[in-house]
């Protein structure tokens, strides 16, 4: 059974710092992996999607990497801003399934 | 604007009552999903539907029911059989048949048992 883990559960950094969020999964036979942002009491917004054949995806100050063999993905945020404060969740989609399996998220606070 | 609309945003349920959460999308997506989120946790799949008039149980379907009579609508009923329904409920949709397609979420509905 696939399990997705995100460490740390919470992170507080000063504005301007570069940071890395981690996501690990136990079954490497994934279809794709997706990173989401969730603001308090809101829905999820997709940030980056990495297909199983890809190593990384970039969007602005965000870069997500994927290492299937080790069961890991990282989300790199460059030059963090207070507006980046939110919960970040990763989710994996398994082959032949439309289901997403989510991690419990990392709650990020960027201090001005 | 295209998107997913969930209503109501806040709902209170008395013991023994059934309540229905609405989810409507105008994205012309075939697949729709209901997830439950408890505080500090990730999302867990309740039900999903890949096409009209068809749906499948997710990981925590007990105490819930759904229908998919129209492509744009996927309502979720929380029945009295669900013993711990207080949670944040999220509806989502995606296109079918494309590898790597993105999932879109609504703004969520808070359900509290009183």
């Amino acid at each position: 059974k696939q399990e997705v883990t995100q460490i740390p559960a919470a992170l507080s950094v000063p504005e301007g710092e570069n940071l890395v969020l981690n996501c690990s999964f136990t079954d490497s036979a994934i279809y794709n992996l997706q990173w989401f942002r969730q603001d308090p009491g809101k829905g999820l917004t997709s940030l980056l999607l990495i297909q199983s054949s890809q190593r990384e995806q970039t969007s602005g100050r965000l870069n997500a990497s994927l290492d299937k063999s080790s069961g890991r993905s990282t989300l790199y945020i460059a030059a963090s801003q207070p507006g980046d404060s939110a919960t970040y969740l990763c989710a994996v989609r398994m082959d032949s399934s439309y289901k997403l399996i989510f991690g419990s998220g990392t709650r990020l606070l960027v201090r001005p | 604007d295209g998107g997913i609309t969930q209503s109501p945003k806040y709902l209170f349920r008395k013991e023994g009552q059934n309540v229905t959460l609405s989810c409507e999308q105008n994205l012309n997506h075939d697949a729709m999903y209901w997830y439950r989120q408890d505080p500090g946790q990730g999302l867990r799949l309740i039900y999903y539907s890949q096409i009209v008039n068809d749906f499948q149980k997710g990981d925590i379907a007990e105490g819930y029911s759904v229908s998919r009579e129209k492509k744009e609508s996927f309502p979720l009923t929380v029945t009295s059989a669900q013993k711990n329904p207080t949670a944040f409920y999220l509806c989502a949709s995606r296109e079918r048949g494309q590898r790597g397609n993105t999932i879109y979420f609504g703004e969520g509905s808070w359900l509290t048992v009183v």
Side-chain angles (χ1 to χ4, degrees):
Chain A
K1 179 183 175 183
Q2 176 72 277
E3 293 183 1
V4 180
T5 303
Q6 291 186 248
I7 296 174
L11 182 63
S12 178
V13 301
E15 181 177 4
E17 192 164 295
N18 301 327
L19 59 100
V20 174
L21 306 180
N22 297 295
C23 173
S24 61
F25 45 94
T26 55
D27 186 343
S28 62
I30 65 171
Y31 200 74
N32 60 40
L33 182 144
Q34 201 162 353
W35 282 93
F36 295 88
R37 170 185 172 134
Q38 184 178 30
D39 292 295
K42 301 289 188 179
L44 279 66
T45 301
S46 178
L47 297 173
L48 291 165
L49 184 149
I50 310 177
Q51 300 194 41
S52 60
S53 59
Q54 297 176 324
R55 296 282 294 182
E56 65 177 345
Q57 284 285 336
T58 299
S59 176
R61 294 183 293 107
L62 305 180
N63 176 276
S65 68
L66 174 64
D67 184 341
K68 276 183 58 177
S69 61
S70 66
R72 295 177 60 186
S73 176
T74 61
L75 178 66
Y76 175 82
I77 303 177
S80 59
Q81 304 170 358
D84 294 331
S85 298
T87 297
Y88 291 82
L89 297 105
C90 69
V92 300
R93 177 182 165 187
M94 306 303 293
D95 285 330
S96 71
S97 168
Y98 283 92
K99 296 197 299 183
L100 291 178
I101 302 167
F102 284 84
S104 55
T106 294
R107 191 171 64 254
L108 173 66
L109 173 64
V110 181
R111 308 187 303 273
Chain B
D1 286 350
I4 302 174
T5 301
Q6 290 188 239
S7 63
K9 180 68 176 179
Y10 300 96
L11 185 61
F12 298 90
R13 192 195 92 170
K14 293 182 180 179
E15 295 283 349
Q17 266 188 343
N18 292 352
V19 294
T20 297
L21 306 179
S22 170
C23 178
E24 303 279 332
Q25 54 98 359
N26 60 4
L27 300 168
N28 200 33
H29 287 171
D30 287 300
M32 297 187 73
Y33 305 79
W34 274 106
Y35 286 91
R36 169 180 172 144
Q37 186 177 31
D38 292 283
Q41 298 188 30
L43 281 65
R44 293 183 290 168
L45 182 65
I46 305 172
Y47 268 97
Y48 65 103
S49 168
Q50 297 187 45
I51 199 168
V52 175
N53 292 321
D54 183 66
F55 48 82
Q56 288 81 40
K57 293 181 179 180
D59 299 316
I60 55 165
E62 184 175 353
Y64 300 97
S65 66
V66 294
S67 63
R68 187 85 189 277
E69 297 176 0
K70 298 186 296 182
K71 186 177 184 178
E72 59 270 22
S73 179
F74 191 40
L76 173 74
T77 296
V78 185
T79 74
S80 57
Q82 172 49 242
K83 297 307 179 186
N84 185 24
T86 296
F88 188 49
Y89 291 86
L90 287 158
C91 179
S93 71
R94 73 193 309 155
E95 296 178 66
R96 288 188 68 208
Q98 295 183 31
R99 184 182 176 92
N101 51 14
T102 302
I103 190 168
Y104 298 88
F105 283 84
E107 289 290 283
S109 293
W110 289 94
L111 174 62
T112 303
V113 174
V114 296

